[in-house]
Amino acid sequence: MSASTHDQFAATLIFLFFSHFLRGSNSATFSIVNKCSYPVWPGILSGAGTAQLATTGFALQPGQSNAVAVPTAWSGRLWGRTLCSTDSAGKFSCVTGDCGSSAVECGGGGAVPPATLAEFTLNGAGGLDFYDVSVVDGYNLPMLVEARGGGNCTATGCAADLNGGCPAELKVKTVASGEGVACKSACEAFGDPRYCCSGRYATPETCKASSYSQLFKSACPRAYSYAYDDATSTFTCASADYRITFCPSTSLSSIKSGNGKFPVAVDISVGHAYADKSANVMLVAISAVLLTILWQQLN
């Protein structure tokens, strides 16, 4: 190999290294879309050990969308709040999905059940993203999660309207109209360890699907319906952006995974550290200088 060819080969390797490394330090994008006929206030909560995002709550009118930058090493959950208002004292609250912050921004507060949840662990085990839609804490809105740009990755969610068919003992109604606006989990409604997968029922062997969780599962086969529902409910992708849609028009029954089968069970890892943005900027600057020097030497 000639000196010139060797230099070109080395430069190519360095370029590929930096391209791959810097790609891992960039942020992913969550595109959050409201296709409901009413306003939705998304809430976002980062997992333990993960910094809160620049925004943790905002309003989406019907047809509106918002793009949120999310660090690649991020874990957390996202949900929709409904029937929100601000009282005469300036306190903001929602009938479903309220986060208890008394403001549009949740600021580290989680959703008060019942609420449909989209859960993410980005750049987790094996460098993969893990994501699911959960009705373990109950249901308030139809939701769809779609991966974009990460290959042939599976869409998941709960596109069905469970509020209309919610059993009376689980139904959350508005005081004014008596309309069903959310559906509790059996755990929240009854507090029974058998439904909560707690106490002596805190293992996969002792906690089984109940008639209530099976009702949710039959309507939303890809959503988490109880604590140990991993095998048909957790999905993976790599280096993707995500579109989260409230009230999707697409039926999940018509969306097939790459191999037409449900994935095997996977573990969800949480608590990844937040990627420091100043370090990312420094890495970009250093790589640009190195690539410039290499280009000058080759020419």
Side-chain angles (χ1 to χ4, degrees):
M1 183 182 292
S2 67
S4 176
T5 302
H6 181 273
D7 290 342
Q8 291 177 352
F9 180 69
T12 301
L13 286 178
I14 293 173
F15 176 78
L16 290 174
F17 169 79
F18 275 107
S19 297
H20 176 76
F21 185 78
L22 291 171
R23 182 187 179 194
S25 65
N26 292 334
S27 64
T29 299
F30 283 4
S31 299
I32 305 168
V33 183
N34 180 19
K35 289 189 176 182
C36 302
S37 59
Y38 46 84
V40 174
W41 287 258
I44 305 173
L45 174 66
S46 297
T50 307
Q52 298 302 323
L53 301 182
T55 180
T56 57
F58 49 89
L60 287 180
Q61 297 300 319
Q64 285 188 334
S65 63
N66 191 14
V68 178
V70 182
T72 52
W74 182 82
S75 67
R77 51 179 49 182
L78 184 151
W79 67 97
R81 296 168 286 173
T82 64
L83 301 170
C84 303
S85 61
T86 303
D87 66 16
S88 59
K91 179 182 178 181
F92 178 85
S93 63
C94 304
V95 175
T96 79
D98 191 68
C99 57
S101 67
S102 300
V104 173
E105 293 276 352
C106 286
V112 175
T116 314
L117 303 174
E119 302 175 313
F120 296 89
T121 294
L122 305 184
N123 195 25
L128 294 174
D129 298 343
F130 294 77
Y131 58 99
D132 67 81
V133 169
S134 172
V135 292
V136 173
D137 290 339
Y139 168 98
N140 70 329
L141 280 173
M143 182 189 290
L144 175 68
V145 174
E146 300 169 281
R148 302 291 178 90
N152 189 17
C153 302
T154 303
T156 187
C158 185
D161 180 6
L162 299 183
N163 291 332
C166 181
E169 60 270 31
L170 305 183
K171 185 171 290 189
V172 176
K173 302 178 182 180
T174 60
V175 176
S177 66
E179 177 188 5
V181 293
C183 193
K184 295 180 182 180
S185 67
C187 173
E188 183 191 1
F190 309 120
D192 191 315
R194 291 176 298 175
Y195 298 136
C196 299
C197 294
S198 60
R200 58 183 291 195
Y201 299 97
T203 68
E205 293 74 26
T206 57
C207 186
K208 303 298 181 182
S210 69
S211 59
Y212 293 108
S213 67
Q214 288 173 344
L215 177 68
F216 287 0
K217 194 68 174 179
S218 62
C220 300
R222 292 189 182 177
Y224 258 93
S225 60
Y226 74 105
Y228 296 106
D229 195 16
D230 303 68
T232 59
S233 307
T234 302
F235 299 86
T236 60
C237 200
S239 302
D241 295 320
Y242 293 91
R243 180 183 176 95
I244 300 99
T245 304
F246 298 112
C247 302
S249 56
T250 303
S251 171
L252 282 178
S253 62
S254 67
I255 301 174
K256 296 182 180 179
S257 61
N259 59 8
K261 299 178 180 179
F262 287 122
V264 296
V266 293
D267 292 330
I268 300 296
S269 56
V270 297
H272 295 281
Y274 180 77
D276 185 78
K277 292 186 178 180
S278 62
N280 293 343
V281 173
M282 181 63 73
L283 287 171
V284 172
I286 293 173
S287 63
V289 172
L290 289 175
L291 290 173
T292 301
I293 294 173
L294 286 170
W295 179 259
Q296 291 174 346
Q297 289 179 344
L298 291 173
N299 291 276

